[in-house]
Amino acid sequence: MNIPLEKQLTKWLKQQKKSCGFFLNLTVTFGVLTGLSLLVQAYLIASIIHGIVILELPTQALNHHFIGLLCLIPVRAALAFARERSSFEAGKRLRLQIRQQVLDKLCELGPAYIKGKPAGSWATIVLEQIEDLHDFYARYLPQMLLAGFIPLTILIAVFPLNWAAGLILLTTAPLIPIFMILVGKGAADANRKNFKVLTQLSGHFMDRLKGLKTLKLFNQGETELKNIESASESFRSGTMAVLRLAFLSSAVLEFFAAISIAVLAVYFGFSFLEELNFGHYGESITLFIGVFVLMLAPEFYQPLRDMGTHYHAKAQAIGAAEALKELLDYEVPHQQQNSTTPSQSVQTNQALTLQAADLCVYSLDGSLLVGPISFTVEQNQNVALVGPSGSGKTSLLNALLGFLPYQGSLLVNGVELSSIDKPQWRKNLAWLGQDPQLFYGTVRENITMGDTTLTDETIKAHLQQVAIWDFIEQKTLGLAHPIGEQMSGLSVGQAQRIALARALTKNAQLFLLDEPTASLDQDSERVIFSTIQDATQDMTSLMISHRLDQLQHMHNIIVMDQGKIVQQGDFDTLNKAPGLFNDMQQDMSHLDNTISMNSQAEI
């Protein structure tokens, strides 16, 4: 990883530490108290040994030292527990805050952005990469402060007793952080690459898992198994590279610490043998000084070694932060702001009208998807959007939902859409797509979506309206009937009807439908179309549909091709006039006849 990017990501990580609250400072405070208790413990032990061995004092004369030492043991244990507990709480609060920011950002960007990556890669970002930030805040940041404070405190205690011992500690201490930084840079780069491989592997595996039936149908199971094996091997290699760096750095840090302590022990050993006579301040080195300093030596290097160990938490966090920062800093380009009041509202007690003039819809990377187009949707008017794949129909709906930027004019009841408060605007909308989205939970929970004002009678009425109540009523638990992961236990048609019932509970003023019958059989198609027609009689609706023969009751049909409007009018007018709609109608009739003939032949 290049140095400017690493500094930028480190700065971003430190900016987030305010989410940890006071628990981060509390962790440092407990660490400082632990360090001070180490000094007291070393003093008491050195005094006891010096008193018994050199001064030949009776043990009774050292009772207060023994009592102090016994009292210090539970105090140190309590401080260590409090430090771990507060550090965990700091990391937990940070993870909750970052995860909330990510989810809010994804809600703001919407499906147009989310569909740009596989579902597995988003799961990696939301779950694993955020979890990998924990140790950076819970351990690395507090340890950075402790790695400076505790060794400095020990030096202050050692130098007045023996300047040579203090000089040995001072000169050998930088070896640990220097090597830590050298190895850490490679670890950060390895972690970043490994996260990218993990994201790709997660997305690859999730996509193949969803399409498992299709892969088996086309006899591609073995091929995809080899692809997954190759991707897994790539991730294994990356993980082992990170672990090699971690083990190497830990071993070297332990080596330097052991060598430094050994040098100190040799110095005191030769001093006690009177082979060395320097480092003291006029008086010979006592056993108290030797024991006190040697007991503090491991504790002097321990914070530095801990920082070296936790430096990998920083490397891991930097690797995770790259994708998180990119997502959280992402801004939608090309969004127009025509109004001087950026947060207007739309009345919810009246039907909506839409007026588009020279409207251009853009992708999130700034590419033109639709336009320029102009059209009007009047109050209580049901309008259909038709056209070949890629003509811009879904992009237009995403712009209306506020998920894609646009230029030009798009008025809702005379108010520019870009100036309307998005959450308030979406309360006026009901949306139904071709892939119903039901969640793990009960039928009631999937319909209410947390709205406690909806009664069971209201839910039942909407389920009857979409002709699914008979199926629910047959279940033992009724509205409490569980829906499994990936809508297990339901057919696509049943799931679509429940999703439609959920949309109807919103009492919205604008109904947006994106191929709501694309995955249904003909019988279910007719039921859903009839239900939609009845439900949208007193509201404005805009529907994308591939079933042109079901559009006779639409007030207006907008035909799109290559991002432009090529035809407009009611069903009869467009069906009689030459053009794209008539061509699509003939192609559809030919396709239906072919399917019918093939079905009869099979029978």
Side-chain angles (χ1 to χ4, degrees):
M1 180 182 292
N2 59 70
I3 295 178
L5 177 59
E6 183 178 353
K7 289 183 177 179
Q8 186 180 8
L9 294 175
T10 304
K11 181 181 178 181
W12 182 83
L13 286 170
K14 290 182 178 180
Q15 289 173 348
Q16 312 306 312
K17 68 179 182 181
K18 58 182 180 293
S19 302
C20 300
F22 70 94
F23 287 99
L24 198 60
N25 294 330
L26 198 60
T27 302
V28 176
T29 301
F30 286 129
V32 169
L33 293 176
T34 302
L36 295 176
S37 68
L38 289 172
L39 285 172
V40 176
Q41 177 181 282
Y43 171 80
L44 292 174
I45 294 175
S47 298
I48 291 172
I49 294 175
H50 182 76
I52 293 176
V53 176
I54 302 300
L55 301 180
E56 298 182 349
L57 296 175
T59 55
Q60 292 80 2
L62 299 171
N63 281 343
H64 58 286
H65 288 78
F66 284 110
I67 294 173
L69 190 59
L70 290 174
C71 293
L72 198 60
I73 293 174
V75 169
R76 284 194 60 190
L79 289 173
F81 173 80
R83 177 185 170 186
E84 287 295 322
R85 193 71 186 87
S86 59
S87 67
F88 176 81
E89 187 65 27
K92 185 184 79 171
R93 287 172 174 253
L94 184 281
R95 286 182 284 124
L96 290 174
Q97 181 67 24
I98 294 293
R99 185 169 284 116
Q100 187 61 53
Q101 291 179 16
V102 169
L103 293 176
D104 289 344
K105 189 67 175 183
L106 291 177
C107 288
E108 176 189 345
L109 295 174
Y113 181 85
I114 294 173
K115 288 183 178 179
K117 290 184 179 180
S121 64
W122 289 120
T124 300
I125 291 175
V126 173
L127 298 175
E128 296 190 33
Q129 293 193 216
I130 292 178
E131 290 295 321
D132 284 329
L133 298 180
H134 176 85
D135 283 349
F136 177 80
Y137 297 94
R139 300 187 182 280
Y140 177 74
L141 285 183
Q143 194 61 41
M144 279 187 65
L145 298 175
L146 295 176
F149 176 82
I150 293 178
L152 181 62
T153 304
I154 291 175
L155 286 176
I156 292 173
V158 170
F159 262 110
L161 299 176
N162 189 283
W163 61 264
L167 193 61
I168 292 173
L169 294 175
L170 183 63
T171 53
T172 55
L175 295 175
I176 295 177
I178 288 174
F179 186 81
M180 174 191 71
I181 293 172
L182 292 176
V183 176
K185 290 184 180 298
D189 193 41
N191 269 297
R192 182 177 62 89
K193 293 178 180 178
N194 204 37
F195 270 125
K196 288 185 176 181
V197 174
L198 177 59
T199 300
Q200 293 170 358
L201 176 61
S202 299
H204 183 90
F205 181 74
M206 180 67 75
D207 288 345
R208 295 329 182 254
L209 191 63
K210 287 183 175 180
L212 190 58
K213 292 182 179 179
T214 305
L215 292 173
K216 287 184 176 179
L217 182 63
F218 288 93
N219 198 27
Q220 292 297 309
E222 290 296 328
T223 301
E224 286 304 321
L225 185 62
K226 292 179 180 178
N227 292 337
I228 292 176
E229 183 181 0
S230 175
S232 301
E233 177 62 24
S234 178
F235 177 65
R236 186 198 67 80
S237 299
T239 302
M240 294 307 298
V242 174
L243 291 176
R244 278 196 298 271
L245 286 171
F247 289 136
L248 173 64
S249 61
S250 298
V252 174
L253 294 179
E254 293 291 339
F255 172 77
F256 281 126
I259 290 296
S260 302
I261 295 172
V263 170
L264 201 59
V266 168
Y267 164 72
F268 279 114
F270 278 100
S271 296
F272 288 138
L273 294 174
E274 297 183 354
E275 296 293 334
L276 296 177
N277 189 28
F278 65 89
H280 51 79
Y281 298 97
E283 298 180 0
S284 61
I285 298 175
T286 63
L287 182 61
F288 168 81
I289 295 175
V291 173
F292 180 70
V293 174
L294 285 175
M295 287 194 65
L296 288 180
E299 305 301 336
F300 176 83
Y301 296 107
Q302 189 60 46
L304 298 172
R305 289 153 62 190
D306 288 343
M307 187 173 71
T309 302
H310 299 325
Y311 192 83
H312 293 284
K314 176 188 176 183
Q316 201 170 23
I318 288 176
E322 186 174 15
L324 291 170
K325 183 178 184 299
E326 180 183 355
L327 173 62
L328 294 175
D329 292 348
Y330 187 89
E331 294 184 2
V332 178
H334 296 294
Q335 183 61 61
Q336 167 181 291
Q337 294 288 342
N338 288 336
S339 177
T340 56
T341 55
S343 243
Q344 299 190 49
S345 61
V346 176
Q347 296 294 329
T348 59
N349 57 356
Q350 61 180 359
L352 298 179
T353 62
L354 301 175
Q355 292 176 298
D358 297 325
L359 176 68
C360 294
V361 180
Y362 294 88
S363 67
L364 294 173
D365 60 5
S367 302
L368 179 65
L369 299 175
V370 177
I373 60 173
S374 299
F375 64 89
T376 300
V377 179
E378 301 292 347
Q379 286 187 359
N380 301 328
Q381 194 176 47
N382 302 140
V383 177
L385 289 172
V386 300
S389 298
S391 58
K393 307 183 297 296
T394 300
S395 298
L396 179 57
L397 254 59
N398 276 323
L400 285 169
L401 288 165
F403 293 133
L404 283 179
Y406 73 88
Q407 290 184 345
S409 177
L410 182 55
L411 302 179
V412 180
N413 286 358
V415 180
E416 188 63 50
L417 177 61
S418 61
S419 66
I420 298 174
D421 179 65
K422 291 298 183 292
Q424 192 275 338
W425 160 240
R426 289 168 187 154
K427 291 180 180 179
N428 293 278
L429 306 177
W431 179 85
L432 185 65
Q434 56 184 299
D435 297 319
Q437 297 296 322
L438 301 183
F439 309 98
Y440 178 82
T442 65
V443 174
R444 181 187 292 109
E445 290 169 342
N446 269 276
I447 292 180
T448 60
M449 295 293 288
D451 186 355
T452 57
T453 62
L454 290 174
T455 64
D456 285 354
E457 288 74 17
T458 304
I459 297 172
K460 177 181 176 181
H462 287 300
L463 290 172
Q464 289 175 331
Q465 191 176 357
V466 298
I468 193 63
W469 172 247
D470 290 341
F471 170 78
I472 302 298
E473 192 177 25
Q474 292 173 2
K475 301 300 180 182
T476 305
L477 299 176
L479 291 176
H481 176 70
I483 297 176
E485 294 284 355
Q486 302 293 325
M487 302 176 296
S488 61
L490 296 176
S491 68
V492 177
Q494 291 167 341
Q496 188 69 299
R497 295 184 193 193
I498 294 175
L500 178 57
R502 178 174 61 197
L504 294 175
T505 61
K506 296 192 66 176
N507 296 318
Q509 299 304 312
L510 177 61
F511 220 114
L512 300 177
L513 305 109
D514 187 357
E515 300 275 14
T517 62
S519 303
L520 305 181
D521 55 65
Q522 291 185 353
D523 292 336
S524 298
E525 234 181 21
R526 284 192 293 270
V527 172
I528 296 296
F529 259 111
S530 177
T531 302
I532 291 172
Q533 182 183 348
D534 294 339
T536 57
Q537 282 182 351
D538 299 324
M539 68 174 68
T540 309
S541 71
L542 196 59
M543 179 174 68
I544 298 174
S545 179
H546 68 289
R547 296 298 305 184
L548 306 184
D549 54 343
Q550 300 281 351
L551 305 179
Q552 293 93 336
H553 301 288
M554 289 291 174
H555 297 102
N556 189 28
I557 300 172
I558 298 175
V559 185
M560 299 185 65
D561 188 26
Q562 298 182 359
K564 303 290 181 64
I565 295 176
V566 294
Q567 284 181 289
Q568 283 195 70
D570 58 28
F571 183 84
D572 293 334
T573 302
L574 293 176
N575 198 34
K576 294 175 183 177
L580 180 59
F581 184 85
N582 190 274
D583 296 340
M584 291 173 63
Q585 181 77 344
Q586 292 178 4
D587 292 341
M588 182 65 68
S589 299
H590 178 70
L591 179 60
D592 288 342
N593 291 334
T594 303
I595 294 174
S596 178
M597 291 174 61
N598 290 337
S599 299
Q600 292 177 2
E602 290 178 1
I603 294 174

